[in-house]
Amino acid sequence: MNQILFAGVIGLFLTLVGTPLLIKLLARKGYGQYIRDDGPREHHAKRGTPTMGGIAFILATLLAYFLSKVITGQPPRFSGVLVLGLMTGMGLVGFLDDYIKIVKRRSLGLRAKAKMAGQLIVGVSFAVLALQFADNRNNTPASTKLSFVQDFGWSIGPVLFVVWALFMILAMSNGVNLTDGLDGLATGASVMVFGAYTFIGVWQFQESCANAQTLTNPAACYEVRDPLDLAVVAAALMGACFGFLWWNTSPAKIFMGDTGSLALGGALAGLAICSRTELLVALLGGLFVLITMSVVIQVGSFRLTGKRVFRMAPLQHHFELKGWSEVLVVVRFWIIQGMCVIVGLGLFYAGWAAQK
């Protein structure tokens, strides 16, 4: 359990101390944020704010995870390393997108096909590897069954699993990316979800089927390959994002960019897949889903009827244009995200209790 504490504290410390150094470096190189002219007018003042801040919490998370292993003398586990690999790979795709936007002065960044190709390569690699490395109970990091609070139903097979995993990775990455439109919004929401996954990992470790002989309710045990390691990853991410929030909250000194949003979305999808909570993540990350759906509704309505449902999509900008201040939108959306996490954890516990 000490691994979790060390990972969270180290991640927090590294981003608190390291982010201002990154801000100075990015500002010196002139790597500032591009602001759309059709967005809220208040956002124009943010033009030039350093971006690609995701570099800070990606590096902090990696260092926090491996340092916690060194300090406690515990070896890295396959599930944790795979989730970190997915996070880093998606972050690299986002970094290339940000770099082209800012340095090459091409406002759209990576071309759509190139960006999708990068995400597909990273996602397929994760999905294929996640079905390897079985432990002595024959558990691999991922399962070919669908899951809510545990696996259920029949196996969908490795091919359909890869397709399903790709859908989850792309959906969560784009969801966090769309949410990252106001200072601190996506970062604060991510802290809550990673906190939830820290709890889930610890609970699954304590109620693991590997310890069935000592459990009071062995019928409700969890067949997850490395639950404690997933909790270490989640704690490292929670701490790193929490420290980054100090600099990213309004008025933001730095933005995470696609580097950060794609990485966070990939990490969320990876944690959900490896902890067997694939459908539950839609509730735990309910704010990301809500904001993504607002874009789908807006685009669908405009194409079908020529009319817009919202003043602007994603949803957070609709409320800005209605007169809400940026801070008001962020805090109220954090409250929504907090409620989603509470309900999600409640259902997770109820799923365990129902099997008593």
Side-chain angles (χ1 to χ4, degrees), residues 38-40 43 182 291 294-295 298 308-325 329 333:
D38 59 343
H43 287 206
L182 301 182
I291 287 175
S294 73
V295 175
Q298 183 86 324
R308 293 179 172 85
V309 176
F310 307 105
R311 295 188 180 186
M312 185 178 179
L315 187 61
Q316 61 269 34
H317 300 315
H318 166 78
F319 288 102
E320 278 193 291
L321 293 178
K322 286 192 69 174
W324 291 21
S325 70
V329 175
F333 276 40

Side-chain angles (χ1 to χ4, degrees), residues 171-248:
M172 292 308 301
S173 296
N174 289 317
V176 178
N177 185 252
L178 290 170
T179 304
D180 183 36
L182 301 182
D183 294 354
L185 178 58
T187 309
S190 297
V191 168
M192 299 182 207
V193 187
F194 291 131
Y197 270 109
T198 302
F199 171 82
I200 287 172
V202 171
W203 186 269
Q204 289 178 333
F205 173 73
Q206 293 176 338
E207 301 294 329
S208 172
C209 293
N211 307 320
Q213 293 180 344
T214 61
L215 298 179
T216 57
N217 184 22
C221 67
Y222 297 93
E223 285 286 7
V224 177
R225 192 192 190 287
D226 306 300
L228 187 61
D229 214 54
L230 294 175
V232 175
V233 172
L237 278 159
M238 178 179 64
C241 287
F242 202 32
F244 182 75
L245 185 60
W246 180 273
W247 305 102
N248 182 233

Side-chain angles (χ1 to χ4, degrees), residues 295-310:
V295 175
V296 173
I297 292 170
Q298 183 86 324
V299 172
S301 175
F302 187 76
R303 288 183 176 178
L304 291 174
T305 67
K307 297 180 180 180
R308 293 179 172 85
V309 176
F310 307 105

